[in-house]
Amino acid sequence: MGTEPPGITIGLAIVSTIGGMFLGLFLTGMSRTRYAAAVLIGAEDVVEWEARWPRRWRHFSLAGLIVASVLGVGGVIVQLVWSDLSWAGNLYFLIFLWTPFAGAANPRTFRVTDVGLVVERPLQQRLRPWSEFESYTVTDTALIIHPSAWWRPAYRSDREDVEDLDAAVEALEEILGDDE
């Protein structure tokens, strides 16, 4: 076209993209919460428990977060000190790749209802109908609820955090019908 955009265009595009990403995450969380609230009107709660991820998963998440942070910050420092190693600055992307696991130490509230499994986090409530689950497993360290889709992650609860494990297992047995 014969004209060049002003130099600030790239910076504004990056800021706009990040803003759009956070707005999208916020709107997605709001829509899931509204959907769950609408479907759960009149639903009967069977059992509820609050639990974190199993200890091994929490330790893995914390170790990964530390490694990603050290490599990311170290890569930026290396790029600033030795400009020949410009690729090292891109290691900060590791921090962003690891952020979904940052909440592994935070407890989630699970509610077994007649409609489905409700998973609550501080600002979000999510409902999964029972048709999306195939079974559950109780191990020495965790209560695991397995989805029927192979690509969906299982819901894992630290067994020590579940106050009334017998009631949770009984409710899951009644709904899902088999314990592996």
Side-chain angles (χ1 to χ4, degrees):
M1 291 179 33
T3 62
E4 279 191 39
I8 196 168
T9 305
I10 294 173
L12 288 175
I14 291 171
V15 168
S16 299
T17 302
I18 292 171
M21 179 186 70
F22 283 116
L23 179 63
L25 289 172
F26 180 70
L27 291 175
T28 301
M30 284 177 46
S31 69
R32 287 178 178 163
T33 301
R34 279 190 76 170
Y35 170 75
V39 172
L40 290 171
I41 293 174
E44 181 182 330
D45 286 352
V46 179
V47 69
E48 178 178 322
W49 70 89
E50 185 174 286
R52 299 171 293 177
W53 282 13
R55 184 179 313 274
R56 184 181 92 199
W57 290 87
R58 290 194 312 262
H59 290 184
F60 176 72
S61 176
L62 181 61
L65 185 61
I66 290 170
V67 168
S69 298
V70 167
L71 286 175
V73 172
V76 170
I77 292 171
V78 165
Q79 181 184 10
L80 291 174
V81 174
W82 296 284
S83 59
D84 295 342
L85 300 174
S86 61
W87 59 268
N90 293 332
L91 291 176
Y92 77 92
F93 283 123
L94 291 174
I95 296 171
F96 299 112
L97 292 174
W98 200 257
T99 54
F101 300 104
N106 298 335
R108 299 168 293 177
T109 301
F110 294 89
R111 286 187 3 223
V112 174
T113 68
D114 56 349
V115 176
L117 180 68
V118 180
V119 181
E120 296 178 359
R121 293 189 170 108
L123 296 175
Q124 183 180 13
Q125 183 179 34
R126 189 171 198 171
L127 170 69
R128 293 273 184 206
W130 290 118
S131 61
E132 293 186 12
F133 295 100
E134 66 180 18
S135 65
Y136 71 95
T137 305
V138 181
T139 67
D140 293 340
T141 59
L143 169 62
I144 307 166
I145 303 172
H146 302 281
S148 53
W150 64 268
W151 50 270
R152 287 194 186 271
Y155 287 106
R156 299 173 187 277
S157 299
D158 190 344
R159 189 174 172 160
E160 293 175 6
D161 289 349
V162 180
E163 273 186 35
D164 192 357
L165 183 65
D166 293 334
V169 169
E170 184 179 318
L172 291 171
E173 176 68 30
E174 185 178 316
I175 291 170
L176 295 176
D178 77 309
D179 183 7
E180 295 180 13

